[in-house]
Amino acid sequence: SHWLWSVRYNSFHDQLILTAGSDCRVQLHSQASLSSEPYRQSLEDEDVQEKILEDGIIQTFYDHEDSVYTAEWSSADPWTFASLSYDGRLVIGHVPRTVKYRILNIDT
């Protein structure tokens, strides 16, 4: 069995959550249904509904070879995070561009 060592929400976009665990993985999750960010338009608009992120795992990062003890969001860039594993490996990661654009409501 594995443990979660760290759970962090993004202070700029609180629907984004990072988890780090003993399974050597960092996972980026979306919890848009609990977000404090208001929708920019009515939810009855079908175009807007398609752009809203669904709750669940957005991406799993397999950059570590040992237990990941922490993952932290950057205080300077809301789309960047770092993770640190037991073996001392520090990995810098980024929110995927497609997810970023959906949150910002930008057409690609």
PDB file of all heavy atoms in Angstrom, residues 37-63:
ATOM      1  N   GLU A  37     -13.609  30.125  -7.727  1.00  0.00           N
ATOM      2  CA  GLU A  37     -13.633  30.993  -8.899  1.00  0.00           C
ATOM      3  C   GLU A  37     -15.019  30.999  -9.521  1.00  0.00           C
ATOM      4  O   GLU A  37     -15.573  29.940  -9.813  1.00  0.00           O
ATOM      5  CB  GLU A  37     -12.611  30.528  -9.934  1.00  0.00           C
ATOM      6  CG  GLU A  37     -11.193  30.762  -9.494  1.00  0.00           C
ATOM      7  CD  GLU A  37     -10.192  30.522 -10.608  1.00  0.00           C
ATOM      8  OE1 GLU A  37     -10.548  30.732 -11.785  1.00  0.00           O
ATOM      9  OE2 GLU A  37      -9.077  30.130 -10.293  1.00  0.00           O
ATOM     10  N   PRO A  38     -15.582  32.178  -9.729  1.00  0.00           N
ATOM     11  CA  PRO A  38     -16.912  32.238 -10.355  1.00  0.00           C
ATOM     12  C   PRO A  38     -16.820  31.913 -11.839  1.00  0.00           C
ATOM     13  O   PRO A  38     -15.803  32.174 -12.482  1.00  0.00           O
ATOM     14  CB  PRO A  38     -17.329  33.697 -10.150  1.00  0.00           C
ATOM     15  CG  PRO A  38     -16.037  34.433 -10.077  1.00  0.00           C
ATOM     16  CD  PRO A  38     -15.050  33.487  -9.416  1.00  0.00           C
ATOM     17  N   TYR A  39     -17.870  31.328 -12.366  1.00  0.00           N
ATOM     18  CA  TYR A  39     -17.923  31.095 -13.799  1.00  0.00           C
ATOM     19  C   TYR A  39     -18.118  32.437 -14.479  1.00  0.00           C
ATOM     20  O   TYR A  39     -18.850  33.294 -14.005  1.00  0.00           O
ATOM     21  CB  TYR A  39     -19.071  30.150 -14.152  1.00  0.00           C
ATOM     22  CG  TYR A  39     -18.902  28.782 -13.563  1.00  0.00           C
ATOM     23  CD1 TYR A  39     -19.919  28.195 -12.829  1.00  0.00           C
ATOM     24  CD2 TYR A  39     -17.727  28.074 -13.735  1.00  0.00           C
ATOM     25  CE1 TYR A  39     -19.770  26.933 -12.285  1.00  0.00           C
ATOM     26  CE2 TYR A  39     -17.564  26.821 -13.201  1.00  0.00           C
ATOM     27  CZ  TYR A  39     -18.586  26.246 -12.482  1.00  0.00           C
ATOM     28  OH  TYR A  39     -18.431  25.015 -11.947  1.00  0.00           O
ATOM     29  N   ARG A  40     -17.485  32.591 -15.602  1.00  0.00           N
ATOM     30  CA  ARG A  40     -17.515  33.890 -16.273  1.00  0.00           C
ATOM     31  C   ARG A  40     -18.822  34.161 -16.985  1.00  0.00           C
ATOM     32  O   ARG A  40     -19.162  35.276 -17.269  1.00  0.00           O
ATOM     33  CB  ARG A  40     -16.356  33.973 -17.241  1.00  0.00           C
ATOM     34  CG  ARG A  40     -15.043  33.894 -16.489  1.00  0.00           C
ATOM     35  CD  ARG A  40     -13.934  34.473 -17.282  1.00  0.00           C
ATOM     36  NE  ARG A  40     -12.781  34.537 -16.405  1.00  0.00           N
ATOM     37  CZ  ARG A  40     -11.605  34.046 -16.692  1.00  0.00           C
ATOM     38  NH1 ARG A  40     -11.398  33.488 -17.841  1.00  0.00           N
ATOM     39  NH2 ARG A  40     -10.622  34.131 -15.834  1.00  0.00           N
ATOM     40  N   GLN A  41     -19.538  33.103 -17.306  1.00  0.00           N
ATOM     41  CA  GLN A  41     -20.821  33.260 -17.973  1.00  0.00           C
ATOM     42  C   GLN A  41     -21.791  32.275 -17.350  1.00  0.00           C
ATOM     43  O   GLN A  41     -21.429  31.460 -16.523  1.00  0.00           O
ATOM     44  CB  GLN A  41     -20.686  32.995 -19.473  1.00  0.00           C
ATOM     45  CG  GLN A  41     -19.759  33.961 -20.174  1.00  0.00           C
ATOM     46  CD  GLN A  41     -19.589  33.589 -21.637  1.00  0.00           C
ATOM     47  OE1 GLN A  41     -20.305  32.751 -22.153  1.00  0.00           O
ATOM     48  NE2 GLN A  41     -18.630  34.209 -22.294  1.00  0.00           N
ATOM     49  N   SER A  42     -23.011  32.341 -17.759  1.00  0.00           N
ATOM     50  CA  SER A  42     -24.037  31.441 -17.245  1.00  0.00           C
ATOM     51  C   SER A  42     -23.699  29.995 -17.566  1.00  0.00           C
ATOM     52  O   SER A  42     -23.224  29.672 -18.645  1.00  0.00           O
ATOM     53  CB  SER A  42     -25.392  31.801 -17.855  1.00  0.00           C
ATOM     54  OG  SER A  42     -26.342  30.802 -17.563  1.00  0.00           O
ATOM     55  N   LEU A  43     -23.959  29.099 -16.631  1.00  0.00           N
ATOM     56  CA  LEU A  43     -23.722  27.676 -16.850  1.00  0.00           C
ATOM     57  C   LEU A  43     -24.684  27.093 -17.869  1.00  0.00           C
ATOM     58  O   LEU A  43     -24.489  25.982 -18.344  1.00  0.00           O
ATOM     59  CB  LEU A  43     -23.827  26.912 -15.541  1.00  0.00           C
ATOM     60  CG  LEU A  43     -22.677  27.125 -14.571  1.00  0.00           C
ATOM     61  CD1 LEU A  43     -22.925  26.355 -13.287  1.00  0.00           C
ATOM     62  CD2 LEU A  43     -21.371  26.697 -15.190  1.00  0.00           C
ATOM     63  N   GLU A  44     -25.719  27.841 -18.219  1.00  0.00           N
ATOM     64  CA  GLU A  44     -26.658  27.370 -19.233  1.00  0.00           C
ATOM     65  C   GLU A  44     -26.072  27.497 -20.633  1.00  0.00           C
ATOM     66  O   GLU A  44     -26.582  26.903 -21.572  1.00  0.00           O
ATOM     67  CB  GLU A  44     -27.974  28.135 -19.119  1.00  0.00           C
ATOM     68  CG  GLU A  44     -28.670  27.870 -17.809  1.00  0.00           C
ATOM     69  CD  GLU A  44     -29.889  28.757 -17.619  1.00  0.00           C
ATOM     70  OE1 GLU A  44     -30.214  29.544 -18.524  1.00  0.00           O
ATOM     71  OE2 GLU A  44     -30.514  28.651 -16.559  1.00  0.00           O
ATOM     72  N   ASP A  45     -25.015  28.246 -20.782  1.00  0.00           N
ATOM     73  CA  ASP A  45     -24.349  28.411 -22.070  1.00  0.00           C
ATOM     74  C   ASP A  45     -23.542  27.148 -22.361  1.00  0.00           C
ATOM     75  O   ASP A  45     -22.597  26.825 -21.668  1.00  0.00           O
ATOM     76  CB  ASP A  45     -23.434  29.639 -22.022  1.00  0.00           C
ATOM     77  CG  ASP A  45     -22.794  29.960 -23.353  1.00  0.00           C
ATOM     78  OD1 ASP A  45     -22.851  29.122 -24.278  1.00  0.00           O
ATOM     79  OD2 ASP A  45     -22.231  31.066 -23.461  1.00  0.00           O
ATOM     80  N   GLU A  46     -23.900  26.434 -23.429  1.00  0.00           N
ATOM     81  CA  GLU A  46     -23.263  25.149 -23.735  1.00  0.00           C
ATOM     82  C   GLU A  46     -21.784  25.296 -24.037  1.00  0.00           C
ATOM     83  O   GLU A  46     -20.987  24.425 -23.703  1.00  0.00           O
ATOM     84  CB  GLU A  46     -23.974  24.478 -24.907  1.00  0.00           C
ATOM     85  CG  GLU A  46     -25.367  23.989 -24.563  1.00  0.00           C
ATOM     86  CD  GLU A  46     -26.062  23.353 -25.755  1.00  0.00           C
ATOM     87  OE1 GLU A  46     -25.374  23.028 -26.738  1.00  0.00           O
ATOM     88  OE2 GLU A  46     -27.286  23.183 -25.681  1.00  0.00           O
ATOM     89  N   ASP A  47     -21.369  26.392 -24.675  1.00  0.00           N
ATOM     90  CA  ASP A  47     -19.958  26.593 -24.983  1.00  0.00           C
ATOM     91  C   ASP A  47     -19.125  26.688 -23.718  1.00  0.00           C
ATOM     92  O   ASP A  47     -18.015  26.185 -23.650  1.00  0.00           O
ATOM     93  CB  ASP A  47     -19.751  27.852 -25.831  1.00  0.00           C
ATOM     94  CG  ASP A  47     -20.340  27.704 -27.230  1.00  0.00           C
ATOM     95  OD1 ASP A  47     -20.476  26.561 -27.688  1.00  0.00           O
ATOM     96  OD2 ASP A  47     -20.661  28.740 -27.849  1.00  0.00           O
ATOM     97  N   VAL A  48     -19.656  27.347 -22.697  1.00  0.00           N
ATOM     98  CA  VAL A  48     -18.937  27.494 -21.435  1.00  0.00           C
ATOM     99  C   VAL A  48     -18.869  26.157 -20.711  1.00  0.00           C
ATOM    100  O   VAL A  48     -17.835  25.795 -20.161  1.00  0.00           O
ATOM    101  CB  VAL A  48     -19.601  28.570 -20.539  1.00  0.00           C
ATOM    102  CG1 VAL A  48     -18.960  28.594 -19.162  1.00  0.00           C
ATOM    103  CG2 VAL A  48     -19.511  29.924 -21.198  1.00  0.00           C
ATOM    104  N   GLN A  49     -19.939  25.394 -20.723  1.00  0.00           N
ATOM    105  CA  GLN A  49     -19.946  24.105 -20.040  1.00  0.00           C
ATOM    106  C   GLN A  49     -18.874  23.175 -20.588  1.00  0.00           C
ATOM    107  O   GLN A  49     -18.272  22.423 -19.850  1.00  0.00           O
ATOM    108  CB  GLN A  49     -21.322  23.440 -20.157  1.00  0.00           C
ATOM    109  CG  GLN A  49     -22.348  24.050 -19.246  1.00  0.00           C
ATOM    110  CD  GLN A  49     -23.670  23.321 -19.335  1.00  0.00           C
ATOM    111  OE1 GLN A  49     -23.985  22.676 -20.320  1.00  0.00           O
ATOM    112  NE2 GLN A  49     -24.449  23.432 -18.291  1.00  0.00           N
ATOM    113  N   GLU A  50     -18.618  23.226 -21.899  1.00  0.00           N
ATOM    114  CA  GLU A  50     -17.602  22.371 -22.495  1.00  0.00           C
ATOM    115  C   GLU A  50     -16.201  22.761 -22.044  1.00  0.00           C
ATOM    116  O   GLU A  50     -15.305  21.937 -22.015  1.00  0.00           O
ATOM    117  CB  GLU A  50     -17.687  22.441 -24.017  1.00  0.00           C
ATOM    118  CG  GLU A  50     -18.931  21.787 -24.577  1.00  0.00           C
ATOM    119  CD  GLU A  50     -19.027  21.937 -26.077  1.00  0.00           C
ATOM    120  OE1 GLU A  50     -18.067  22.446 -26.698  1.00  0.00           O
ATOM    121  OE2 GLU A  50     -20.062  21.557 -26.635  1.00  0.00           O
ATOM    122  N   LYS A  51     -15.978  24.016 -21.681  1.00  0.00           N
ATOM    123  CA  LYS A  51     -14.656  24.499 -21.305  1.00  0.00           C
ATOM    124  C   LYS A  51     -14.341  24.289 -19.828  1.00  0.00           C
ATOM    125  O   LYS A  51     -13.194  24.374 -19.434  1.00  0.00           O
ATOM    126  CB  LYS A  51     -14.524  25.983 -21.644  1.00  0.00           C
ATOM    127  CG  LYS A  51     -14.565  26.249 -23.130  1.00  0.00           C
ATOM    128  CD  LYS A  51     -14.468  27.726 -23.401  1.00  0.00           C
ATOM    129  CE  LYS A  51     -14.622  28.008 -24.879  1.00  0.00           C
ATOM    130  NZ  LYS A  51     -14.624  29.433 -25.168  1.00  0.00           N
ATOM    131  N   ILE A  52     -15.350  24.032 -19.006  1.00  0.00           N
ATOM    132  CA  ILE A  52     -15.121  23.862 -17.573  1.00  0.00           C
ATOM    133  C   ILE A  52     -14.439  22.521 -17.334  1.00  0.00           C
ATOM    134  O   ILE A  52     -14.835  21.502 -17.882  1.00  0.00           O
ATOM    135  CB  ILE A  52     -16.450  23.936 -16.793  1.00  0.00           C
ATOM    136  CG1 ILE A  52     -17.049  25.332 -16.956  1.00  0.00           C
ATOM    137  CG2 ILE A  52     -16.243  23.604 -15.327  1.00  0.00           C
ATOM    138  CD1 ILE A  52     -18.451  25.454 -16.405  1.00  0.00           C
ATOM    139  N   LEU A  53     -13.395  22.547 -16.532  1.00  0.00           N
ATOM    140  CA  LEU A  53     -12.684  21.308 -16.214  1.00  0.00           C
ATOM    141  C   LEU A  53     -13.572  20.384 -15.397  1.00  0.00           C
ATOM    142  O   LEU A  53     -14.294  20.822 -14.510  1.00  0.00           O
ATOM    143  CB  LEU A  53     -11.426  21.614 -15.395  1.00  0.00           C
ATOM    144  CG  LEU A  53     -10.270  22.261 -16.125  1.00  0.00           C
ATOM    145  CD1 LEU A  53      -9.170  22.581 -15.121  1.00  0.00           C
ATOM    146  CD2 LEU A  53      -9.735  21.372 -17.205  1.00  0.00           C
ATOM    147  N   GLU A  54     -13.483  19.112 -15.687  1.00  0.00           N
ATOM    148  CA  GLU A  54     -14.199  18.116 -14.894  1.00  0.00           C
ATOM    149  C   GLU A  54     -13.335  17.740 -13.688  1.00  0.00           C
ATOM    150  O   GLU A  54     -12.115  17.826 -13.739  1.00  0.00           O
ATOM    151  CB  GLU A  54     -14.484  16.879 -15.737  1.00  0.00           C
ATOM    152  CG  GLU A  54     -15.433  17.136 -16.879  1.00  0.00           C
ATOM    153  CD  GLU A  54     -15.718  15.866 -17.677  1.00  0.00           C
ATOM    154  OE1 GLU A  54     -15.361  14.776 -17.209  1.00  0.00           O
ATOM    155  OE2 GLU A  54     -16.278  15.993 -18.756  1.00  0.00           O
ATOM    156  N   ASP A  55     -13.974  17.306 -12.615  1.00  0.00           N
ATOM    157  CA  ASP A  55     -13.242  16.848 -11.441  1.00  0.00           C
ATOM    158  C   ASP A  55     -12.512  15.546 -11.759  1.00  0.00           C
ATOM    159  O   ASP A  55     -13.047  14.693 -12.465  1.00  0.00           O
ATOM    160  CB  ASP A  55     -14.207  16.607 -10.273  1.00  0.00           C
ATOM    161  CG  ASP A  55     -14.793  17.893  -9.725  1.00  0.00           C
ATOM    162  OD1 ASP A  55     -14.362  18.978 -10.149  1.00  0.00           O
ATOM    163  OD2 ASP A  55     -15.683  17.808  -8.862  1.00  0.00           O
ATOM    164  N   GLY A  56     -11.322  15.414 -11.238  1.00  0.00           N
ATOM    165  CA  GLY A  56     -10.561  14.181 -11.425  1.00  0.00           C
ATOM    166  C   GLY A  56      -9.084  14.457 -11.671  1.00  0.00           C
ATOM    167  O   GLY A  56      -8.618  15.592 -11.565  1.00  0.00           O
ATOM    168  N   ILE A  57      -8.361  13.401 -12.000  1.00  0.00           N
ATOM    169  CA  ILE A  57      -6.925  13.517 -12.259  1.00  0.00           C
ATOM    170  C   ILE A  57      -6.712  14.111 -13.645  1.00  0.00           C
ATOM    171  O   ILE A  57      -7.241  13.613 -14.637  1.00  0.00           O
ATOM    172  CB  ILE A  57      -6.234  12.147 -12.152  1.00  0.00           C
ATOM    173  CG1 ILE A  57      -6.361  11.594 -10.732  1.00  0.00           C
ATOM    174  CG2 ILE A  57      -4.764  12.255 -12.547  1.00  0.00           C
ATOM    175  CD1 ILE A  57      -5.884  10.168 -10.584  1.00  0.00           C
ATOM    176  N   ILE A  58      -5.935  15.170 -13.706  1.00  0.00           N
ATOM    177  CA  ILE A  58      -5.592  15.810 -14.973  1.00  0.00           C
ATOM    178  C   ILE A  58      -4.378  15.116 -15.586  1.00  0.00           C
ATOM    179  O   ILE A  58      -4.372  14.793 -16.762  1.00  0.00           O
ATOM    180  CB  ILE A  58      -5.293  17.309 -14.773  1.00  0.00           C
ATOM    181  CG1 ILE A  58      -6.544  18.042 -14.301  1.00  0.00           C
ATOM    182  CG2 ILE A  58      -4.732  17.924 -16.048  1.00  0.00           C
ATOM    183  CD1 ILE A  58      -6.297  19.478 -13.898  1.00  0.00           C
ATOM    184  N   GLN A  59      -3.345  14.926 -14.769  1.00  0.00           N
ATOM    185  CA  GLN A  59      -2.117  14.318 -15.269  1.00  0.00           C
ATOM    186  C   GLN A  59      -1.346  13.691 -14.115  1.00  0.00           C
ATOM    187  O   GLN A  59      -1.364  14.198 -13.000  1.00  0.00           O
ATOM    188  CB  GLN A  59      -1.248  15.369 -15.965  1.00  0.00           C
ATOM    189  CG  GLN A  59      -0.035  14.802 -16.657  1.00  0.00           C
ATOM    190  CD  GLN A  59       0.666  15.826 -17.533  1.00  0.00           C
ATOM    191  OE1 GLN A  59       0.176  16.919 -17.751  1.00  0.00           O
ATOM    192  NE2 GLN A  59       1.827  15.453 -18.047  1.00  0.00           N
ATOM    193  N   THR A  60      -0.665  12.591 -14.419  1.00  0.00           N
ATOM    194  CA  THR A  60       0.225  11.937 -13.464  1.00  0.00           C
ATOM    195  C   THR A  60       1.646  12.097 -13.969  1.00  0.00           C
ATOM    196  O   THR A  60       1.929  11.857 -15.145  1.00  0.00           O
ATOM    197  CB  THR A  60      -0.122  10.443 -13.315  1.00  0.00           C
ATOM    198  OG1 THR A  60      -1.482  10.333 -12.871  1.00  0.00           O
ATOM    199  CG2 THR A  60       0.776   9.772 -12.299  1.00  0.00           C
ATOM    200  N   PHE A  61       2.540  12.520 -13.072  1.00  0.00           N
ATOM    201  CA  PHE A  61       3.944  12.738 -13.415  1.00  0.00           C
ATOM    202  C   PHE A  61       4.777  11.610 -12.794  1.00  0.00           C
ATOM    203  O   PHE A  61       4.698  11.360 -11.591  1.00  0.00           O
ATOM    204  CB  PHE A  61       4.413  14.098 -12.886  1.00  0.00           C
ATOM    205  CG  PHE A  61       3.639  15.249 -13.454  1.00  0.00           C
ATOM    206  CD1 PHE A  61       2.486  15.709 -12.828  1.00  0.00           C
ATOM    207  CD2 PHE A  61       4.047  15.879 -14.621  1.00  0.00           C
ATOM    208  CE1 PHE A  61       1.753  16.762 -13.341  1.00  0.00           C
ATOM    209  CE2 PHE A  61       3.326  16.934 -15.151  1.00  0.00           C
ATOM    210  CZ  PHE A  61       2.182  17.378 -14.513  1.00  0.00           C
ATOM    211  N   TYR A  62       5.592  10.955 -13.620  1.00  0.00           N
ATOM    212  CA  TYR A  62       6.396   9.807 -13.196  1.00  0.00           C
ATOM    213  C   TYR A  62       7.886  10.149 -13.221  1.00  0.00           C
ATOM    214  O   TYR A  62       8.703   9.341 -13.636  1.00  0.00           O
ATOM    215  CB  TYR A  62       6.138   8.617 -14.131  1.00  0.00           C
ATOM    216  CG  TYR A  62       4.716   8.149 -14.147  1.00  0.00           C
ATOM    217  CD1 TYR A  62       3.837   8.576 -15.137  1.00  0.00           C
ATOM    218  CD2 TYR A  62       4.246   7.267 -13.186  1.00  0.00           C
ATOM    219  CE1 TYR A  62       2.527   8.137 -15.167  1.00  0.00           C
ATOM    220  CE2 TYR A  62       2.928   6.824 -13.208  1.00  0.00           C
ATOM    221  CZ  TYR A  62       2.083   7.265 -14.212  1.00  0.00           C
ATOM    222  OH  TYR A  62       0.781   6.832 -14.231  1.00  0.00           O
ATOM    223  N   ASP A  63       8.257  11.331 -12.760  1.00  0.00           N
ATOM    224  CA  ASP A  63       9.640  11.795 -12.851  1.00  0.00           C
ATOM    225  C   ASP A  63      10.522  11.343 -11.694  1.00  0.00           C
ATOM    226  O   ASP A  63      11.731  11.549 -11.739  1.00  0.00           O
ATOM    227  CB  ASP A  63       9.674  13.325 -12.926  1.00  0.00           C
ATOM    228  CG  ASP A  63       8.929  13.849 -14.134  1.00  0.00           C
ATOM    229  OD1 ASP A  63       9.100  13.272 -15.216  1.00  0.00           O
ATOM    230  OD2 ASP A  63       8.168  14.817 -13.990  1.00  0.00           O
TER     231      ASP A  63
END
